[in-house]
Amino acid sequence: MRNHHGTVGSRFPHRRSTLIATAVVATVTTLAVSGCAGQGAQQNTENDPNAKVTLSFWNGFTGPDGPALQQVVDDFNASQDRITVETNIMPWDTLYSKVLTAAAGNDGPDIVAMSAGRIPQYADQGLFQPLDDYYENADFDSDALAQSAVDASMFDGENYGVPVNIATMLMYYNKDLFTAAGLDPEKPPTTWDEFAAMVPKLTVDDNGDGKPEQYAIALADHETVPMFQPFLWNAGGGLVSEDGKTSELASEGSLEALNFWVDLVKDQKASPVGLAGADADKLFTTGKAAIEIVGPWMTTGFEEAGLNFGLAPAFAGPADNVTLADVVSMSVPAKADETTKQAAYEFFAYWNSEEGQKTWAEGSGFPPTRADVSSQVTSNPYPAIFGDSSVIDNSQTLMPGIAAGTTINDTIFYPTLQKALNGEGTVDELFTAASEQVQAELDK
């Protein structure tokens, strides 16, 4: 286990917290009772293992990785004639909002894919059902899966998900912009200080109006996979302690990291303020940012844009060089009947089969969820790069197994970060107050 954040590959802490908010609980409970049984309940398939089943599969793969996901779904549907998986693809923030606020009805999902770090919020409220029996079925070959991907959906001693992918974040850098700035295109920054020294060359404001035409980095500060949070790890800080009981947001390391990066963005204009994840992707894709730290799902899009880019580990901080690993897992709502759940299991098994993972890895650039497929992926170089042991071993997931993790990220960390970036207070003042809010959530 690396320091106190739960390195990928370790057993993650599991704990139960109280409900997040009464209003949210009421809305979500309505969804669980009336919508989450989805098509399986509507078709009265319960206890009929031979019934034809249509599974509504909600996911957020709207990017260049979407066609690869759809191909695996199509291949599964063609492989047998009893189960049909229908994808409902929407932006991740929309998906999370809809799952929490969906109106009563029979149009809820039968399968939901989401970042594994969000699953404890739903499991804690009884909205997803444990899937341990999936892993107990030898026919599903789950022993071949990367243990880190399996463990990511654990909560309170039970597993509530089956992995879709494991994605490490690497630094993409535009070699042409490096050359134009007089920098060696084969030597991206390896430390924070090296990057800071490059910012004046890579951030370009030709007309001096204070609005650069080009930025050193596209750094999203909301509606994205965590970009700023790993910086805290690399200065010896973090959001919460390993045991999930103590806020670390006001620790010396966390404040050091936040002061460093807020200064680079706010005062030195290393990145625009207010970028969502999709905005950051667009900025890099259009050649208006020299660097972006993001996952393998963007390889296809950046290649299609004709970018001359390189890949490297994200720059190290003063204390460490850990990168983020994000695992997306598939869950089954609590009210799904047994036939629907078993049909979902058959799809999960196909997704994580050798055939399914080869199609997924070659089409998306993600590393396969199982090591025995890596050597079979020959048409796409990126799965080997993002799945290299030096990258995987130096990565960790964010707040695994913590039911309040979504609240800490979305309603405390990001709003506080945006205030700091907009100059609405000092980093120390804002995040010390935010740390007290985080502690209050952990104490519930």
Side-chain angles (χ1 to χ4, degrees), residues 172-193:
Y172 294 76
Y173 63 99
N174 187 315
K175 293 184 177 182
D176 292 341
L177 296 186
F178 268 61
T179 299
L183 299 170
D184 188 334
E186 303 303 326
K187 292 184 178 180
T190 61
T191 67
W192 290 5
D193 288 340

mmCIF file with all atom_site columns, all heavy atoms in Angstrom, residues 172-193:
data_model
loop_
_atom_site.group_PDB
_atom_site.id
_atom_site.type_symbol
_atom_site.label_atom_id
_atom_site.label_alt_id
_atom_site.label_comp_id
_atom_site.label_asym_id
_atom_site.label_entity_id
_atom_site.label_seq_id
_atom_site.pdbx_PDB_ins_code
_atom_site.Cartn_x
_atom_site.Cartn_y
_atom_site.Cartn_z
_atom_site.occupancy
_atom_site.B_iso_or_equiv
_atom_site.pdbx_formal_charge
_atom_site.auth_seq_id
_atom_site.auth_comp_id
_atom_site.auth_asym_id
_atom_site.auth_atom_id
_atom_site.pdbx_PDB_model_num
ATOM 1   N N   . TYR A 1 172 ? -0.210 13.723 -21.835 1.00 0.00 ? 172 TYR A N   1
ATOM 2   C CA  . TYR A 1 172 ? -0.107 13.927 -23.276 1.00 0.00 ? 172 TYR A CA  1
ATOM 3   C C   . TYR A 1 172 ? 0.554  15.297 -23.485 1.00 0.00 ? 172 TYR A C   1
ATOM 4   O O   . TYR A 1 172 ? 0.183  16.275 -22.839 1.00 0.00 ? 172 TYR A O   1
ATOM 5   C CB  . TYR A 1 172 ? -1.485 13.968 -23.922 1.00 0.00 ? 172 TYR A CB  1
ATOM 6   C CG  . TYR A 1 172 ? -2.301 12.702 -23.886 1.00 0.00 ? 172 TYR A CG  1
ATOM 7   C CD1 . TYR A 1 172 ? -2.945 12.273 -22.717 1.00 0.00 ? 172 TYR A CD1 1
ATOM 8   C CD2 . TYR A 1 172 ? -2.488 11.942 -25.043 1.00 0.00 ? 172 TYR A CD2 1
ATOM 9   C CE1 . TYR A 1 172 ? -3.730 11.131 -22.702 1.00 0.00 ? 172 TYR A CE1 1
ATOM 10  C CE2 . TYR A 1 172 ? -3.282 10.797 -25.033 1.00 0.00 ? 172 TYR A CE2 1
ATOM 11  C CZ  . TYR A 1 172 ? -3.897 10.400 -23.865 1.00 0.00 ? 172 TYR A CZ  1
ATOM 12  O OH  . TYR A 1 172 ? -4.687 9.271  -23.849 1.00 0.00 ? 172 TYR A OH  1
ATOM 13  N N   . TYR A 1 173 ? 1.495  15.357 -24.393 1.00 0.00 ? 173 TYR A N   1
ATOM 14  C CA  . TYR A 1 173 ? 2.097  16.667 -24.688 1.00 0.00 ? 173 TYR A CA  1
ATOM 15  C C   . TYR A 1 173 ? 2.250  16.825 -26.197 1.00 0.00 ? 173 TYR A C   1
ATOM 16  O O   . TYR A 1 173 ? 2.561  15.888 -26.920 1.00 0.00 ? 173 TYR A O   1
ATOM 17  C CB  . TYR A 1 173 ? 3.428  16.856 -23.960 1.00 0.00 ? 173 TYR A CB  1
ATOM 18  C CG  . TYR A 1 173 ? 4.525  15.890 -24.336 1.00 0.00 ? 173 TYR A CG  1
ATOM 19  C CD1 . TYR A 1 173 ? 5.531  16.249 -25.245 1.00 0.00 ? 173 TYR A CD1 1
ATOM 20  C CD2 . TYR A 1 173 ? 4.570  14.613 -23.777 1.00 0.00 ? 173 TYR A CD2 1
ATOM 21  C CE1 . TYR A 1 173 ? 6.533  15.363 -25.579 1.00 0.00 ? 173 TYR A CE1 1
ATOM 22  C CE2 . TYR A 1 173 ? 5.572  13.714 -24.116 1.00 0.00 ? 173 TYR A CE2 1
ATOM 23  C CZ  . TYR A 1 173 ? 6.548  14.090 -25.018 1.00 0.00 ? 173 TYR A CZ  1
ATOM 24  O OH  . TYR A 1 173 ? 7.546  13.208 -25.367 1.00 0.00 ? 173 TYR A OH  1
ATOM 25  N N   . ASN A 1 174 ? 1.982  18.025 -26.654 1.00 0.00 ? 174 ASN A N   1
ATOM 26  C CA  . ASN A 1 174 ? 2.000  18.358 -28.073 1.00 0.00 ? 174 ASN A CA  1
ATOM 27  C C   . ASN A 1 174 ? 3.433  18.694 -28.485 1.00 0.00 ? 174 ASN A C   1
ATOM 28  O O   . ASN A 1 174 ? 3.968  19.746 -28.116 1.00 0.00 ? 174 ASN A O   1
ATOM 29  C CB  . ASN A 1 174 ? 1.066  19.541 -28.332 1.00 0.00 ? 174 ASN A CB  1
ATOM 30  C CG  . ASN A 1 174 ? 0.890  19.843 -29.802 1.00 0.00 ? 174 ASN A CG  1
ATOM 31  O OD1 . ASN A 1 174 ? 1.860  19.868 -30.558 1.00 0.00 ? 174 ASN A OD1 1
ATOM 32  N ND2 . ASN A 1 174 ? -0.348 20.106 -30.205 1.00 0.00 ? 174 ASN A ND2 1
ATOM 33  N N   . LYS A 1 175 ? 4.052  17.807 -29.231 1.00 0.00 ? 175 LYS A N   1
ATOM 34  C CA  . LYS A 1 175 ? 5.458  17.983 -29.592 1.00 0.00 ? 175 LYS A CA  1
ATOM 35  C C   . LYS A 1 175 ? 5.670  19.215 -30.464 1.00 0.00 ? 175 LYS A C   1
ATOM 36  O O   . LYS A 1 175 ? 6.710  19.897 -30.357 1.00 0.00 ? 175 LYS A O   1
ATOM 37  C CB  . LYS A 1 175 ? 5.970  16.731 -30.307 1.00 0.00 ? 175 LYS A CB  1
ATOM 38  C CG  . LYS A 1 175 ? 6.036  15.497 -29.419 1.00 0.00 ? 175 LYS A CG  1
ATOM 39  C CD  . LYS A 1 175 ? 6.656  14.314 -30.159 1.00 0.00 ? 175 LYS A CD  1
ATOM 40  C CE  . LYS A 1 175 ? 6.802  13.108 -29.258 1.00 0.00 ? 175 LYS A CE  1
ATOM 41  N NZ  . LYS A 1 175 ? 7.455  11.965 -29.941 1.00 0.00 ? 175 LYS A NZ  1
ATOM 42  N N   . ASP A 1 176 ? 4.714  19.523 -31.327 1.00 0.00 ? 176 ASP A N   1
ATOM 43  C CA  . ASP A 1 176 ? 4.873  20.689 -32.203 1.00 0.00 ? 176 ASP A CA  1
ATOM 44  C C   . ASP A 1 176 ? 4.863  21.988 -31.401 1.00 0.00 ? 176 ASP A C   1
ATOM 45  O O   . ASP A 1 176 ? 5.622  22.928 -31.703 1.00 0.00 ? 176 ASP A O   1
ATOM 46  C CB  . ASP A 1 176 ? 3.752  20.716 -33.250 1.00 0.00 ? 176 ASP A CB  1
ATOM 47  C CG  . ASP A 1 176 ? 3.863  19.575 -34.253 1.00 0.00 ? 176 ASP A CG  1
ATOM 48  O OD1 . ASP A 1 176 ? 4.966  18.997 -34.366 1.00 0.00 ? 176 ASP A OD1 1
ATOM 49  O OD2 . ASP A 1 176 ? 2.846  19.245 -34.887 1.00 0.00 ? 176 ASP A OD2 1
ATOM 50  N N   . LEU A 1 177 ? 4.006  22.050 -30.366 1.00 0.00 ? 177 LEU A N   1
ATOM 51  C CA  . LEU A 1 177 ? 3.977  23.255 -29.529 1.00 0.00 ? 177 LEU A CA  1
ATOM 52  C C   . LEU A 1 177 ? 5.248  23.369 -28.699 1.00 0.00 ? 177 LEU A C   1
ATOM 53  O O   . LEU A 1 177 ? 5.727  24.480 -28.437 1.00 0.00 ? 177 LEU A O   1
ATOM 54  C CB  . LEU A 1 177 ? 2.741  23.254 -28.630 1.00 0.00 ? 177 LEU A CB  1
ATOM 55  C CG  . LEU A 1 177 ? 1.383  23.316 -29.331 1.00 0.00 ? 177 LEU A CG  1
ATOM 56  C CD1 . LEU A 1 177 ? 0.259  23.467 -28.305 1.00 0.00 ? 177 LEU A CD1 1
ATOM 57  C CD2 . LEU A 1 177 ? 1.331  24.464 -30.343 1.00 0.00 ? 177 LEU A CD2 1
ATOM 58  N N   . PHE A 1 178 ? 5.795  22.232 -28.281 1.00 0.00 ? 178 PHE A N   1
ATOM 59  C CA  . PHE A 1 178 ? 7.076  22.271 -27.566 1.00 0.00 ? 178 PHE A CA  1
ATOM 60  C C   . PHE A 1 178 ? 8.172  22.810 -28.480 1.00 0.00 ? 178 PHE A C   1
ATOM 61  O O   . PHE A 1 178 ? 8.981  23.651 -28.071 1.00 0.00 ? 178 PHE A O   1
ATOM 62  C CB  . PHE A 1 178 ? 7.443  20.870 -27.069 1.00 0.00 ? 178 PHE A CB  1
ATOM 63  C CG  . PHE A 1 178 ? 6.964  20.570 -25.677 1.00 0.00 ? 178 PHE A CG  1
ATOM 64  C CD1 . PHE A 1 178 ? 5.607  20.579 -25.385 1.00 0.00 ? 178 PHE A CD1 1
ATOM 65  C CD2 . PHE A 1 178 ? 7.855  20.298 -24.657 1.00 0.00 ? 178 PHE A CD2 1
ATOM 66  C CE1 . PHE A 1 178 ? 5.152  20.303 -24.109 1.00 0.00 ? 178 PHE A CE1 1
ATOM 67  C CE2 . PHE A 1 178 ? 7.419  20.029 -23.371 1.00 0.00 ? 178 PHE A CE2 1
ATOM 68  C CZ  . PHE A 1 178 ? 6.054  20.027 -23.089 1.00 0.00 ? 178 PHE A CZ  1
ATOM 69  N N   . THR A 1 179 ? 8.209  22.325 -29.717 1.00 0.00 ? 179 THR A N   1
ATOM 70  C CA  . THR A 1 179 ? 9.222  22.800 -30.670 1.00 0.00 ? 179 THR A CA  1
ATOM 71  C C   . THR A 1 179 ? 9.080  24.295 -30.929 1.00 0.00 ? 179 THR A C   1
ATOM 72  O O   . THR A 1 179 ? 10.072 25.042 -30.934 1.00 0.00 ? 179 THR A O   1
ATOM 73  C CB  . THR A 1 179 ? 9.111  22.017 -31.986 1.00 0.00 ? 179 THR A CB  1
ATOM 74  O OG1 . THR A 1 179 ? 9.335  20.621 -31.741 1.00 0.00 ? 179 THR A OG1 1
ATOM 75  C CG2 . THR A 1 179 ? 10.132 22.515 -33.000 1.00 0.00 ? 179 THR A CG2 1
ATOM 76  N N   . ALA A 1 180 ? 7.845  24.745 -31.130 1.00 0.00 ? 180 ALA A N   1
ATOM 77  C CA  . ALA A 1 180 ? 7.605  26.164 -31.396 1.00 0.00 ? 180 ALA A CA  1
ATOM 78  C C   . ALA A 1 180 ? 8.022  27.041 -30.220 1.00 0.00 ? 180 ALA A C   1
ATOM 79  O O   . ALA A 1 180 ? 8.396  28.208 -30.403 1.00 0.00 ? 180 ALA A O   1
ATOM 80  C CB  . ALA A 1 180 ? 6.122  26.389 -31.714 1.00 0.00 ? 180 ALA A CB  1
ATOM 81  N N   . ALA A 1 181 ? 7.979  26.481 -29.012 1.00 0.00 ? 181 ALA A N   1
ATOM 82  C CA  . ALA A 1 181 ? 8.365  27.239 -27.818 1.00 0.00 ? 181 ALA A CA  1
ATOM 83  C C   . ALA A 1 181 ? 9.857  27.157 -27.533 1.00 0.00 ? 181 ALA A C   1
ATOM 84  O O   . ALA A 1 181 ? 10.337 27.718 -26.543 1.00 0.00 ? 181 ALA A O   1
ATOM 85  C CB  . ALA A 1 181 ? 7.588  26.717 -26.608 1.00 0.00 ? 181 ALA A CB  1
ATOM 86  N N   . GLY A 1 182 ? 10.605 26.474 -28.406 1.00 0.00 ? 182 GLY A N   1
ATOM 87  C CA  . GLY A 1 182 ? 12.037 26.326 -28.206 1.00 0.00 ? 182 GLY A CA  1
ATOM 88  C C   . GLY A 1 182 ? 12.402 25.260 -27.200 1.00 0.00 ? 182 GLY A C   1
ATOM 89  O O   . GLY A 1 182 ? 13.521 25.252 -26.671 1.00 0.00 ? 182 GLY A O   1
ATOM 90  N N   . LEU A 1 183 ? 11.461 24.353 -26.928 1.00 0.00 ? 183 LEU A N   1
ATOM 91  C CA  . LEU A 1 183 ? 11.690 23.276 -25.976 1.00 0.00 ? 183 LEU A CA  1
ATOM 92  C C   . LEU A 1 183 ? 11.935 21.962 -26.716 1.00 0.00 ? 183 LEU A C   1
ATOM 93  O O   . LEU A 1 183 ? 11.446 21.772 -27.830 1.00 0.00 ? 183 LEU A O   1
ATOM 94  C CB  . LEU A 1 183 ? 10.484 23.126 -25.045 1.00 0.00 ? 183 LEU A CB  1
ATOM 95  C CG  . LEU A 1 183 ? 10.151 24.349 -24.188 1.00 0.00 ? 183 LEU A CG  1
ATOM 96  C CD1 . LEU A 1 183 ? 8.792  24.156 -23.502 1.00 0.00 ? 183 LEU A CD1 1
ATOM 97  C CD2 . LEU A 1 183 ? 11.240 24.595 -23.150 1.00 0.00 ? 183 LEU A CD2 1
ATOM 98  N N   . ASP A 1 184 ? 12.671 21.073 -26.105 1.00 0.00 ? 184 ASP A N   1
ATOM 99  C CA  . ASP A 1 184 ? 12.963 19.777 -26.706 1.00 0.00 ? 184 ASP A CA  1
ATOM 100 C C   . ASP A 1 184 ? 11.683 18.946 -26.738 1.00 0.00 ? 184 ASP A C   1
ATOM 101 O O   . ASP A 1 184 ? 11.117 18.634 -25.685 1.00 0.00 ? 184 ASP A O   1
ATOM 102 C CB  . ASP A 1 184 ? 14.033 19.054 -25.881 1.00 0.00 ? 184 ASP A CB  1
ATOM 103 C CG  . ASP A 1 184 ? 14.539 17.783 -26.549 1.00 0.00 ? 184 ASP A CG  1
ATOM 104 O OD1 . ASP A 1 184 ? 13.799 17.178 -27.348 1.00 0.00 ? 184 ASP A OD1 1
ATOM 105 O OD2 . ASP A 1 184 ? 15.681 17.375 -26.246 1.00 0.00 ? 184 ASP A OD2 1
ATOM 106 N N   . PRO A 1 185 ? 11.204 18.566 -27.924 1.00 0.00 ? 185 PRO A N   1
ATOM 107 C CA  . PRO A 1 185 ? 9.944  17.825 -28.016 1.00 0.00 ? 185 PRO A CA  1
ATOM 108 C C   . PRO A 1 185 ? 10.037 16.396 -27.484 1.00 0.00 ? 185 PRO A C   1
ATOM 109 O O   . PRO A 1 185 ? 9.016  15.718 -27.375 1.00 0.00 ? 185 PRO A O   1
ATOM 110 C CB  . PRO A 1 185 ? 9.647  17.825 -29.516 1.00 0.00 ? 185 PRO A CB  1
ATOM 111 C CG  . PRO A 1 185 ? 10.986 17.943 -30.162 1.00 0.00 ? 185 PRO A CG  1
ATOM 112 C CD  . PRO A 1 185 ? 11.786 18.832 -29.248 1.00 0.00 ? 185 PRO A CD  1
ATOM 113 N N   . GLU A 1 186 ? 11.221 15.942 -27.172 1.00 0.00 ? 186 GLU A N   1
ATOM 114 C CA  . GLU A 1 186 ? 11.391 14.601 -26.619 1.00 0.00 ? 186 GLU A CA  1
ATOM 115 C C   . GLU A 1 186 ? 11.659 14.636 -25.110 1.00 0.00 ? 186 GLU A C   1
ATOM 116 O O   . GLU A 1 186 ? 11.930 13.601 -24.507 1.00 0.00 ? 186 GLU A O   1
ATOM 117 C CB  . GLU A 1 186 ? 12.538 13.868 -27.331 1.00 0.00 ? 186 GLU A CB  1
ATOM 118 C CG  . GLU A 1 186 ? 12.357 13.755 -28.836 1.00 0.00 ? 186 GLU A CG  1
ATOM 119 C CD  . GLU A 1 186 ? 11.050 13.065 -29.239 1.00 0.00 ? 186 GLU A CD  1
ATOM 120 O OE1 . GLU A 1 186 ? 10.615 12.145 -28.506 1.00 0.00 ? 186 GLU A OE1 1
ATOM 121 O OE2 . GLU A 1 186 ? 10.466 13.457 -30.262 1.00 0.00 ? 186 GLU A OE2 1
ATOM 122 N N   . LYS A 1 187 ? 11.552 15.833 -24.511 1.00 0.00 ? 187 LYS A N   1
ATOM 123 C CA  . LYS A 1 187 ? 11.820 15.958 -23.083 1.00 0.00 ? 187 LYS A CA  1
ATOM 124 C C   . LYS A 1 187 ? 10.694 16.722 -22.386 1.00 0.00 ? 187 LYS A C   1
ATOM 125 O O   . LYS A 1 187 ? 10.821 17.912 -22.095 1.00 0.00 ? 187 LYS A O   1
ATOM 126 C CB  . LYS A 1 187 ? 13.169 16.653 -22.841 1.00 0.00 ? 187 LYS A CB  1
ATOM 127 C CG  . LYS A 1 187 ? 14.371 15.832 -23.271 1.00 0.00 ? 187 LYS A CG  1
ATOM 128 C CD  . LYS A 1 187 ? 15.678 16.527 -22.917 1.00 0.00 ? 187 LYS A CD  1
ATOM 129 C CE  . LYS A 1 187 ? 16.874 15.676 -23.300 1.00 0.00 ? 187 LYS A CE  1
ATOM 130 N NZ  . LYS A 1 187 ? 18.164 16.346 -22.947 1.00 0.00 ? 187 LYS A NZ  1
ATOM 131 N N   . PRO A 1 188 ? 9.581  16.046 -22.133 1.00 0.00 ? 188 PRO A N   1
ATOM 132 C CA  . PRO A 1 188 ? 8.501  16.690 -21.386 1.00 0.00 ? 188 PRO A CA  1
ATOM 133 C C   . PRO A 1 188 ? 8.926  16.902 -19.938 1.00 0.00 ? 188 PRO A C   1
ATOM 134 O O   . PRO A 1 188 ? 9.885  16.266 -19.462 1.00 0.00 ? 188 PRO A O   1
ATOM 135 C CB  . PRO A 1 188 ? 7.364  15.669 -21.481 1.00 0.00 ? 188 PRO A CB  1
ATOM 136 C CG  . PRO A 1 188 ? 8.058  14.355 -21.607 1.00 0.00 ? 188 PRO A CG  1
ATOM 137 C CD  . PRO A 1 188 ? 9.280  14.629 -22.439 1.00 0.00 ? 188 PRO A CD  1
ATOM 138 N N   . PRO A 1 189 ? 8.243  17.775 -19.209 1.00 0.00 ? 189 PRO A N   1
ATOM 139 C CA  . PRO A 1 189 ? 8.625  18.016 -17.809 1.00 0.00 ? 189 PRO A CA  1
ATOM 140 C C   . PRO A 1 189 ? 8.426  16.776 -16.952 1.00 0.00 ? 189 PRO A C   1
ATOM 141 O O   . PRO A 1 189 ? 7.449  16.047 -17.107 1.00 0.00 ? 189 PRO A O   1
ATOM 142 C CB  . PRO A 1 189 ? 7.682  19.145 -17.380 1.00 0.00 ? 189 PRO A CB  1
ATOM 143 C CG  . PRO A 1 189 ? 6.503  19.037 -18.304 1.00 0.00 ? 189 PRO A CG  1
ATOM 144 C CD  . PRO A 1 189 ? 7.075  18.576 -19.614 1.00 0.00 ? 189 PRO A CD  1
ATOM 145 N N   . THR A 1 190 ? 9.357  16.550 -16.043 1.00 0.00 ? 190 THR A N   1
ATOM 146 C CA  . THR A 1 190 ? 9.276  15.380 -15.165 1.00 0.00 ? 190 THR A CA  1
ATOM 147 C C   . THR A 1 190 ? 8.962  15.757 -13.722 1.00 0.00 ? 190 THR A C   1
ATOM 148 O O   . THR A 1 190 ? 8.663  14.885 -12.915 1.00 0.00 ? 190 THR A O   1
ATOM 149 C CB  . THR A 1 190 ? 10.595 14.583 -15.187 1.00 0.00 ? 190 THR A CB  1
ATOM 150 O OG1 . THR A 1 190 ? 11.664 15.417 -14.728 1.00 0.00 ? 190 THR A OG1 1
ATOM 151 C CG2 . THR A 1 190 ? 10.901 14.092 -16.594 1.00 0.00 ? 190 THR A CG2 1
ATOM 152 N N   . THR A 1 191 ? 9.050  17.043 -13.388 1.00 0.00 ? 191 THR A N   1
ATOM 153 C CA  . THR A 1 191 ? 8.732  17.510 -12.037 1.00 0.00 ? 191 THR A CA  1
ATOM 154 C C   . THR A 1 191 ? 7.870  18.766 -12.126 1.00 0.00 ? 191 THR A C   1
ATOM 155 O O   . THR A 1 191 ? 7.803  19.421 -13.174 1.00 0.00 ? 191 THR A O   1
ATOM 156 C CB  . THR A 1 191 ? 9.996  17.849 -11.235 1.00 0.00 ? 191 THR A CB  1
ATOM 157 O OG1 . THR A 1 191 ? 10.635 18.991 -11.829 1.00 0.00 ? 191 THR A OG1 1
ATOM 158 C CG2 . THR A 1 191 ? 10.969 16.671 -11.213 1.00 0.00 ? 191 THR A CG2 1
ATOM 159 N N   . TRP A 1 192 ? 7.236  19.127 -11.021 1.00 0.00 ? 192 TRP A N   1
ATOM 160 C CA  . TRP A 1 192 ? 6.451  20.361 -10.971 1.00 0.00 ? 192 TRP A CA  1
ATOM 161 C C   . TRP A 1 192 ? 7.324  21.564 -11.322 1.00 0.00 ? 192 TRP A C   1
ATOM 162 O O   . TRP A 1 192 ? 6.899  22.449 -12.075 1.00 0.00 ? 192 TRP A O   1
ATOM 163 C CB  . TRP A 1 192 ? 5.885  20.569 -9.570  1.00 0.00 ? 192 TRP A CB  1
ATOM 164 C CG  . TRP A 1 192 ? 4.809  19.621 -9.161  1.00 0.00 ? 192 TRP A CG  1
ATOM 165 C CD1 . TRP A 1 192 ? 4.337  18.545 -9.853  1.00 0.00 ? 192 TRP A CD1 1
ATOM 166 C CD2 . TRP A 1 192 ? 4.060  19.676 -7.945  1.00 0.00 ? 192 TRP A CD2 1
ATOM 167 N NE1 . TRP A 1 192 ? 3.350  17.925 -9.142  1.00 0.00 ? 192 TRP A NE1 1
ATOM 168 C CE2 . TRP A 1 192 ? 3.155  18.590 -7.972  1.00 0.00 ? 192 TRP A CE2 1
ATOM 169 C CE3 . TRP A 1 192 ? 4.074  20.522 -6.842  1.00 0.00 ? 192 TRP A CE3 1
ATOM 170 C CZ2 . TRP A 1 192 ? 2.268  18.352 -6.921  1.00 0.00 ? 192 TRP A CZ2 1
ATOM 171 C CZ3 . TRP A 1 192 ? 3.196  20.284 -5.795  1.00 0.00 ? 192 TRP A CZ3 1
ATOM 172 C CH2 . TRP A 1 192 ? 2.298  19.211 -5.834  1.00 0.00 ? 192 TRP A CH2 1
ATOM 173 N N   . ASP A 1 193 ? 8.524  21.613 -10.770 1.00 0.00 ? 193 ASP A N   1
ATOM 174 C CA  . ASP A 1 193 ? 9.384  22.779 -11.001 1.00 0.00 ? 193 ASP A CA  1
ATOM 175 C C   . ASP A 1 193 ? 9.784  22.881 -12.471 1.00 0.00 ? 193 ASP A C   1
ATOM 176 O O   . ASP A 1 193 ? 9.851  23.995 -13.020 1.00 0.00 ? 193 ASP A O   1
ATOM 177 C CB  . ASP A 1 193 ? 10.634 22.703 -10.121 1.00 0.00 ? 193 ASP A CB  1
ATOM 178 C CG  . ASP A 1 193 ? 10.326 22.957 -8.649  1.00 0.00 ? 193 ASP A CG  1
ATOM 179 O OD1 . ASP A 1 193 ? 9.272  23.556 -8.358  1.00 0.00 ? 193 ASP A OD1 1
ATOM 180 O OD2 . ASP A 1 193 ? 11.142 22.559 -7.789  1.00 0.00 ? 193 ASP A OD2 1
#
